Amino acid sequence: MFLTKMPVNPRRRGARLLLSSPQAMHAAVLAGFPDARPTEEGRVLWRLDTYEAYRVCLFVASPDKPDFTHLVEQAGWPATETCWQTRTYDGLLGSLRVGQRWQFRLTANPVRSVRLGRWADTKPVGHVTVRQQQVWLLDRAERHGFRVADSAVAAGEPDLAVVDRAVRRFGRKGGQVTLSTATFEGHLEVVDPDALRHTLTFGLGRAKSYGCGLLTLAVTQGGGR
């Protein structure tokens, strides 16, 4: 597996088109691979992180190394920054051990199944409050190989923040898709390394084609794990 980071230039027209449509961005990401189908190692996952108005980064986890030349030409910084950086993911995946503590970031599509009105079947409906979105992740954490660590500043509370929320609407096959997203940050503790490896390489939750599901880890402040 590989993890790629590519800076995006939101001032460029091509970037604005991609940033406005997760469907278009997904197609552009997949175009960087000769064969983008899932493998036994994992699948292509991607996420857009916005740090400032004009500082946006695309992160991609993938079984194979990408070639994002087309993305750089359309939406990147070809003359002023490194076009993209790809590093092997296998070292981190192989290093996971029970009890390790990591910082994490995840953009997800927190939904619940409901039946409304005359619907014959249940349909996924997005959670709307921060608390609902936090509970959605907390309820799923252990089956995905981790638990959210306890807060160091608020007794009895998880070290978990929703740092961005959005409702995206975009066209797909003549219709409109409505996508509710939440970006989570915090600290986690590894409880099942195999399950966490699967989460890191196959994603968490729904809407993986639309920039959701990619969980990434970073060393905790101070360097401890």
Side-chain angles (χ1 to χ4, degrees):
M1 289 291 293
F2 298 90
L3 186 65
T4 299
K5 176 182 178 181
M6 191 196 105
V8 176
N9 182 354
R11 290 185 174 93
R12 299 185 67 180
R13 180 174 180 273
R16 293 195 296 271
L17 292 173
L18 294 178
L19 293 173
S20 68
S21 171
Q23 175 75 9
M25 180 62 81
H26 178 65
V29 169
L30 294 193
F33 302 91
D35 186 347
R37 291 176 295 183
T39 70
E40 292 183 356
E41 293 183 358
R43 59 169 291 165
V44 176
L45 300 165
W46 62 273
R47 187 182 76 224
L48 285 166
D49 285 357
T50 301
Y51 304 102
E52 300 170 3
Y54 295 107
R55 184 168 171 244
V56 179
C57 283
L58 170 68
F59 289 88
V60 180
S62 57
D64 299 307
K65 285 185 176 181
D67 181 349
F68 285 155
T69 302
H70 65 294
L71 262 176
V72 173
E73 292 173 348
Q74 182 178 359
W77 298 82
T80 59
E81 294 195 25
T82 301
C83 294
W84 72 85
Q85 296 176 327
T86 299
R87 298 179 179 177
T88 180
Y89 216 10
D90 295 336
L92 183 146
L93 296 173
S95 73
L96 297 176
R97 299 290 184 270
V98 172
Q100 285 178 335
R101 185 180 170 106
W102 297 86
Q103 293 183 54
F104 74 89
R105 187 176 176 97
L106 165 72
T107 294
N109 172 223
V111 297
R112 66 195 188 281
S113 294
V114 299
R115 182 182 284 109
L116 296 175
R118 298 180 180 179
W119 291 359
D121 300 311
T122 60
K123 295 184 180 181
V125 175
H127 286 297
V128 296
T129 70
V130 169
R131 184 57 183 168
Q132 288 173 342
Q133 292 168 342
Q134 289 178 320
V135 169
W136 176 89
L137 181 58
L138 293 169
D139 286 347
R140 287 157 178 75
E142 291 212 12
R143 79 184 76 157
H144 286 88
F146 65 94
R147 75 170 190 89
V148 177
D150 296 331
S151 172
V153 296
E157 292 295 321
D159 188 348
L160 177 65
V162 176
V163 297
D164 188 35
R165 304 196 305 147
V167 176
R168 307 290 303 279
R169 294 180 175 86
F170 53 95
R172 180 178 182 270
K173 295 182 178 179
Q176 185 180 70
V177 175
T178 300
L179 180 69
S180 298
T181 65
T183 299
F184 302 93
E185 287 185 353
H187 288 82
L188 63 78
E189 181 180 316
V190 181
V191 297
D192 184 336
D194 289 336
L196 182 54
R197 272 189 283 271
H198 189 273
T199 300
L200 293 171
T201 53
F202 284 92
L204 194 163
R206 300 170 60 94
K208 298 182 182 71
S209 295
Y210 299 141
C212 296
L214 175 57
L215 174 72
T216 53
L217 305 181
V219 176
T220 60
Q221 292 183 1
R225 283 188 286 173

